[in-house]
Amino acid sequence: MDAKKGEHPRQSRRERRIERRRREILTAAAQVFAQKGYAHTTTKHLAEAADMAEGTLYNYFEGKREILLAILNEMYVPIDALLENARPLSTRDDFVRIVENGLEIFVSQLDFTRALLTEIWVDDVILNDLIIGRLQYIGQAIRGFIARRIEAGNFRPIDPEAATLMILGGFIALILPVLRGKHPTPTAEERHRLAQTAVDLLFDGLRVRENQ
Amino acid sequence: MDAKKGEHPRQSRRERRIERRRREILTAAAQVFAQKGYAHTTTKHLAEAADMAEGTLYNYFEGKREILLAILNEMYVPIDALLENARPLSTRDDFVRIVENGLEIFVSQLDFTRALLTEIWVDDVILNDLIIGRLQYIGQAIRGFIARRIEAGNFRPIDPEAATLMILGGFIALILPVLRGKHPTPTAEERHRLAQTAVDLLFDGLRVRENQ
Amino acid sequence: MDAKKGEHPRQSRRERRIERRRREILTAAAQVFAQKGYAHTTTKHLAEAADMAEGTLYNYFEGKREILLAILNEMYVPIDALLENARPLSTRDDFVRIVENGLEIFVSQLDFTRALLTEIWVDDVILNDLIIGRLQYIGQAIRGFIARRIEAGNFRPIDPEAATLMILGGFIALILPVLRGKHPTPTAEERHRLAQTAVDLLFDGLRVRENQ
Amino acid sequence: MDAKKGEHPRQSRRERRIERRRREILTAAAQVFAQKGYAHTTTKHLAEAADMAEGTLYNYFEGKREILLAILNEMYVPIDALLENARPLSTRDDFVRIVENGLEIFVSQLDFTRALLTEIWVDDVILNDLIIGRLQYIGQAIRGFIARRIEAGNFRPIDPEAATLMILGGFIALILPVLRGKHPTPTAEERHRLAQTAVDLLFDGLRVRENQ
DNA sequence: CATGAATGAGTCTTCATTCAT
DNA sequence: GATGAATGAAGACTCATTCAT
């Protein structure tokens, strides 16, 4: 129980094993939640998917709900990285790049995202954390970008609020069919093309410019 | 006990009472489903919300799930009417009008719509019926409109598939905050303004037209 | 409410109507009980079979169980008559006649008998009333008959107790397939033949008499 | 924890424990079913009788009905053994022996047999499986025996069908009072005497043989 | 740490009975 | 008397969590 041969290696190895186990559980759980929805998933399902006994789950998580919240946490890291990257967001290419990165994140975390879909609308912690915390942050970045561009005379004086919502909605709509498994997951090239189309549409609209 | 005055009124009164009661249950149920989500709502909750005994629910619906499906059906009528109206969809004003009507429908059915949000991802009948059935239909109308306009030289040759998705997503994004109760329900005027902004953005994009 | 034109005719007509209604209910109920068993029969089933509303049943009977007990009572009249008839029971023909009559009673009351079958084993009132009350009475008659015959030297000195049981059992076995609907209901002639065969078997056994 | 001594013991111990538990439940359930009848028995009753929580029952059986069916299966083993034994059935002693064995089986399985009595009339699976399947098989054996004996001139030319029914009925009648708890369970000696009396009655009838 | 049997509160649903019309 | 909607107690079954091994 006490130190032997230096504490680090031993503690560390144990911690690493625990961390590995937790991640195994989360990966498996995300798949099951994604397929059945949180409420319809039983701990038995989770245990089977993680290939362990039900009781073992409780050695790594406090309960079913905590597993879901841990999944939520897993998504923060790449999203925060994305936001960090997107901070400047000043040119059209910035926009393409951030949309592309966003698509990449969702694609690489499909199961985690899907897992949250059902409880998003119901669980206030998740809703506030994810939607309010992250999405609003993203929204602000976009709103700021638009406002600055309008001020600079590059963008038409459109209500930035509505525009932001539609941009986010458009982006979500692009991945929703994939999340629902109705579309195959797009390749890197497809993601690039999608991002360009999206930004193109947003910037220039559907209508033909008369004299260009 | 009194004169019969024709048989209709008597049958009719009973039928009307039943219909009224069903509607009462649906209205109450939609609110509860919207707040708690389908799976987290118990029949006890439903009974309390409808101010009746649990057993009474079963005089009007076969079970909890049938109540949800009945809510789903309630949404068909106005949506189908909207689609019928939107059939031509040829001018920009058509577009504004249909977006405006769509917003109106969702607003008038807020609770019903919210009620479906959670189970949409999990219940295949609902998913296929509602999303695939309706949304695809709407999508086709939009895709057709875009394709025709591109052919006519009015629209730029953008991928109609991606454009449709983004339009739908943008539209949904406009309502989502309202659905989640994060925005107050927009008034008729606000809906009109929103619809115009949305269509304006879609048609002309964010960027300033250089020579206009 | 009080007397008018003599009480009898009016009371009588009302009473007769009530009696008729009760009988209608019992007839219908016996069929349903017979098919589904008492416990699996709902008052809704009973009401439908009697072609009236559920509530109306309660104007004629205290509840579901009382309907079953009333069915039990219906069987007493013919059984008691049979027993009265069988009182002497001294010749072989008496035996044939009483078996024949017994078969006739069961056949004419098939549904009533079937209706009681499920609850016989469970309801102590029914068990004590019917089995103990009636069957034991019948058993005593048979036992007495056998004992007297043995004493008179007509019957071999077989244990009258066991013999009685086997006689009753044999009789029941003859009607059981009919009760279960596995045999068609026997005609009068078939009943006569069955009774003769049964008594013949009981009196003379299976074995060939060596010198007769 | 200790040496493995081969893998069997470990798997086996768990399996044996499960098997023991299942049997405990069945034994307890049979008693309750026998007393109250299947339909009037609640899972709460069953749990109490087996001295465990309601939920635990479901770790061993799929549901209430499966417990009943398992009880049904318990009865097959000895009955099938009896039938196998009785195959030849050619002498009078064979007959005595098989009746005696039959009595023994029923006595040793009193609760199991009682448990089935109520649902027999209502549950088609049970009815067809047990009654039709087993009883008809037994009936055929008896019919065949009688027919052969008649042909051989040992038995009088009595309708074998009716005779079989009465034999089965007589046998059942011998046990019914015991099943209902109205008689104490017969000892081995009493069973032997009963069997002899029964066969004696069947073979030689009640009447004194005039010249014997 | 791993296991999985045991637990019992909680769910959906049924149905005998009541009672206002 | 007849009706059938309303009731709510009771039933079969589920499942997150605990805990002895």
Side-chain angles (χ1 to χ4, degrees), chain B residues 44-74:
Chain B
K44 200 177 163 88
H45 291 145
L46 294 180
E48 275 165 12
D51 194 30
M52 55 181 67
E54 273 187 80
T56 309
L57 295 174
Y58 291 82
N59 288 338
Y60 296 94
F61 295 97
E62 304 239 328
K64 185 181 159 190
R65 187 158 182 281
E66 276 65 36
I67 294 180
L68 186 69
L69 293 179
I71 290 175
L72 178 59
N73 265 320
E74 287 298 307

Side-chain angles (χ1 to χ4, degrees), chain D residues 14 17 21 53 55-56 59-60:
Chain D
R14 190 170 154 270
R17 205 187 43 203
R21 217 86 165 89
T56 309
N59 288 337
Y60 297 93

Side-chain angles (χ1 to χ4, degrees), chain A residues 42-43 54 58 64:
Chain A
T42 69
T43 48
E54 278 185 78
Y58 289 80
K64 185 181 160 191

Side-chain angles (χ1 to χ4, degrees), chain D residues 1-55:
Chain D
M1 255 179 199
D2 40 18
K4 291 194 204 170
K5 296 188 191 181
E7 292 183 353
H8 258 312
R10 177 174 277 219
Q11 261 248 350
S12 229
R13 186 176 327 167
R14 190 170 154 270
E15 276 172 3
R16 263 177 295 151
R17 205 187 43 203
I18 289 179
E19 193 47 44
R20 211 184 315 135
R21 217 86 165 89
R22 284 177 57 97
R23 196 158 296 277
E24 279 172 29
I25 294 175
L26 290 186
T27 309
Q31 282 182 2
V32 186
F33 282 148
Q35 276 171 27
K36 301 182 190 293
Y38 174 78
H40 297 290
T41 300
T42 69
T43 49
K44 199 178 163 98
H45 290 146
L46 293 180
E48 276 167 10
D51 195 30
M52 55 181 66
E54 273 187 80

